[in-house]
């Protein structure tokens, strides 16, 4: 088994954990690839440096919070490389393992005592470019205290004309992120669906909607003179103007995660209490 490691490097605890993981894997004769930023911090292992774009590992360990996981999987999911996520962030809904449990889980990993969970992603067409998201597309006004006027269609059928502070189109994975804070439902990741959530809508009858993942969702900007910003997985940003359209559809590329037990509901409940 070849294992890659990607990590946040702004926390000394994360770097020290990375160092101990490398020692453990080398002692077990595992071939290792270290992402460039981590290899710079672990100078004694700089010969293991491999940029994440060039990794050919069977599994990649991702040490950090949800942001670290999202950044890594955008590169890894087209290669179908599964991620084992280790929580060195805050709540970490996408993460699987707490630091104190990592070596027990690595034992299971090397014994092939795990399964791979497949997560749905969405492709978003912004300004003639398709961008893949694991969590969500968030559309918000570029002018604070100004509402957006949006027409939302599903498979060319208009489902709502929304006046709101913004709109979220989320995957089930993203249902425990911004979507949940905006009043959307928590959706089991096994459900093949997309969730449309208005942010602070003006009309009382404007409510979240769950639609089949195979649908094509179209969002059109109706108000002249009002600009909007689209944020994709908290990373990419796009600007939208009057009469622009955004299209969202199910991606051909899924995301893959290493799991040791099926504990979605227990995990969410525990993290909500901690959070």
């Amino acid at each position: 088994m070849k294992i890659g490691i990607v990590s946040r490097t702004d926390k000394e605890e994360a770097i020290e954990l990375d160092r101990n993981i490398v020692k453990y894997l080398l002692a077990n004769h595992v071939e290792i690839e270290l992402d460039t930023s981590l290899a710079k911090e672990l100078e004694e292992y700089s010969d293991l440096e491999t940029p994440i774009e060039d990794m050919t590992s069977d599994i990649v360990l991702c040490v950090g919070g949800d942001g670290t996981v999202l950044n890594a999987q955008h590169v890894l999911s087209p290669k179908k490389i599964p991620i084992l996520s280790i929580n060195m962030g805050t709540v970490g809904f996408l993460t699987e393992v707490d630091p104190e449990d990592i070596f027990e889980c690595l034992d299971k990993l090397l014994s092939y005592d795990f399964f791979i969970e497949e997560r749905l992603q969405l492709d978003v067409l912004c300004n003639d470019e398709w961008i893949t998201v694991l969590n969500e597309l968030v559309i918000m006004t570029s002018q604070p205290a100004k509402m957006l006027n949006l027409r939302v269609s599903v498979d060319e059928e208009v489902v709502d004309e929304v006046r709101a502070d913004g709109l979220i189109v989320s995957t089930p994975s993203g249902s425990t992120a911004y979507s949940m804070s905006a009043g959307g439902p928590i959706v089991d990741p096994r459900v093949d669906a997309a969730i449309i959530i208005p942010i602070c809508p003006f009309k009382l009858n404007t409510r979240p909607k769950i639609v089949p993942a195979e649908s094509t969702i179209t969002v059109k900007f109706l108000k002249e003179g009002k600009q909007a910003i689209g944020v994709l997985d908290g990373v990419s940003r796009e600007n939208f103007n009057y009469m622009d359209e955004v299209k969202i559809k199910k991606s051909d590329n899924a995301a893959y995660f290493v799991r040791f037990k099926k504990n979605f509901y227990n995990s969410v409940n525990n993290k909500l209490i901690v959070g």
Side-chain angles (χ1 to χ4, degrees):
M1 184 184 291
K2 183 193 292 186
I3 293 179
I5 306 177
V6 174
S7 178
R8 65 183 302 171
T9 55
D10 60 339
K11 290 181 71 172
E12 186 56 42
E13 307 98 294
I15 295 171
E16 189 57 33
L17 180 61
D18 295 325
R19 182 175 283 110
N20 290 331
I21 290 172
V22 171
K23 290 178 182 177
Y24 171 91
L25 294 176
L26 290 176
N28 283 275
H29 311 291
V30 176
E31 187 177 352
I32 300 173
E33 296 178 315
L34 296 183
D35 186 39
T36 299
S37 60
L38 179 58
K40 290 178 181 177
E41 298 294 333
L42 302 179
E43 295 180 358
E44 66 271 37
Y45 300 117
S46 59
D47 58 314
L48 303 176
E49 177 184 348
T50 305
I52 186 172
E53 296 84 1
D54 299 330
M55 284 186 177
T56 58
S57 291
D58 301 296
I59 289 169
V60 169
L61 307 183
C62 191
V63 182
D66 284 352
T68 309
V69 174
L70 287 169
N71 286 329
Q73 72 83 31
H74 283 159
V75 179
L76 298 172
S77 65
K79 302 180 179 184
K80 295 182 166 52
I81 298 177
I83 287 175
L84 173 57
S85 49
I86 303 155
N87 189 18
M88 291 296 289
T90 49
V91 180
F93 280 104
L94 292 175
T95 55
E96 172 73 0
V97 179
D98 290 324
E100 60 269 21
D101 300 323
I102 181 58
F103 295 105
E104 176 187 349
C105 291
L106 288 177
D107 283 341
K108 292 182 179 180
L109 190 69
L110 298 183
S111 301
Y112 292 89
D113 183 15
F114 62 89
F115 67 97
I116 302 298
E117 179 182 71
E118 184 176 316
R119 292 277 184 113
L120 175 148
Q121 298 193 102
L122 296 173
D123 285 339
V124 182
L125 181 61
C126 296
N127 300 320
D128 298 321
E129 179 185 4
W130 287 102
I131 302 173
T132 302
V133 296
L134 172 61
N135 268 0
E136 77 275 293
L137 163 69
V138 178
I139 297 169
M140 61 183 70
T141 177
S142 62
Q143 302 167 287
K146 297 290 185 180
M147 288 194 294
L148 294 174
N149 290 45
L150 307 168
R151 178 181 295 141
V152 181
S153 303
V154 176
D155 294 331
E156 299 185 355
E157 178 185 354
V158 176
V159 297
D160 208 348
E161 291 205 355
V162 176
R163 290 184 63 202
D165 288 349
L167 187 79
I168 302 168
V169 181
S170 170
T171 67
S173 295
S175 71
T176 53
Y178 192 1
S179 168
M180 180 176 65
S181 298
I186 294 175
V187 180
D188 190 306
R190 294 172 296 180
V191 175
D192 202 35
I195 309 108
I196 303 169
I197 310 99
I199 302 172
C200 299
F202 177 73
K203 295 189 297 182
L204 293 177
N205 65 340
T206 298
R207 290 289 180 257
K209 295 173 176 62
I210 298 175
V211 302
E214 299 295 340
S215 305
T216 297
I217 301 167
T218 304
V219 181
K220 189 167 187 175
F221 298 83
L222 300 180
K223 188 69 174 179
E224 192 169 2
K226 287 191 177 180
Q227 293 184 323
I229 299 171
V231 183
L232 297 95
D233 272 353
V235 179
S236 303
R237 294 169 63 94
E238 300 287 340
N239 295 316
F240 303 109
N241 294 293
Y242 174 56
M243 298 304 287
D244 282 348
E245 286 188 346
V246 183
K247 291 191 178 293
I248 305 103
K249 66 178 184 179
K250 182 178 179 179
S251 177
D252 291 334
N253 291 321
Y256 301 91
F257 292 92
V258 173
R259 302 298 189 204
F260 297 104
K261 54 186 176 180
K262 296 179 180 178
N263 60 354
F264 172 72
Y265 296 106
N266 183 60
S267 176
V268 167
N269 288 334
N270 288 339
K271 288 175 180 180
L272 286 175
I273 291 170
V274 172

